[in-house]
Amino acid sequence: MPKMKTKSSAKKRFKVTATGKVMGSQAGKQHGMIKRTKKFIRNARGTTALSAPDAKIIKSFMPYDR
């Protein structure tokens, strides 16, 4: 069988940890920061683990990162 291809968009945006969690950047931080509260901006720093249903979809895009 031929090799399965990894989605380029997924490998640029997500990382899979050693325990199998999918890490991605926080939502809502692309634009419009003036209207956001300081608390929201502070809490949305860094990365977060995706929920189980979302992680399942992303893992299907990256067959060799399991």
Side-chain angles (χ1 to χ4, degrees), residues 5-16 22-25 50 57-63 65:
K5 288 195 172 183
T6 298
K7 291 271 187 185
S8 293
S9 59
K11 72 181 176 186
K12 291 171 188 172
R13 288 170 174 82
F14 303 103
K15 296 280 185 261
V16 180
V22 180
M23 301 298 285
S25 60
L50 268 61
I57 294 167
I58 298 303
K59 282 184 177 181
S60 71
F61 294 157
M62 300 190 293
D65 279 347

Side-chain angles (χ1 to χ4, degrees), residues 24-61:
S25 60
Q26 294 273 6
K29 291 263 301 191
Q30 293 297 316
H31 61 89
M33 290 298 104
I34 290 178
K35 68 178 90 170
R36 310 269 194 257
T37 63
K38 301 291 183 191
K39 182 178 179 182
F40 176 89
I41 295 170
R42 192 169 57 246
N43 289 337
R45 282 187 196 138
T47 57
T48 185
L50 268 61
S51 62
D54 291 337
K56 185 178 178 184
I57 294 167
I58 298 303
K59 282 184 177 181
S60 71
F61 294 157

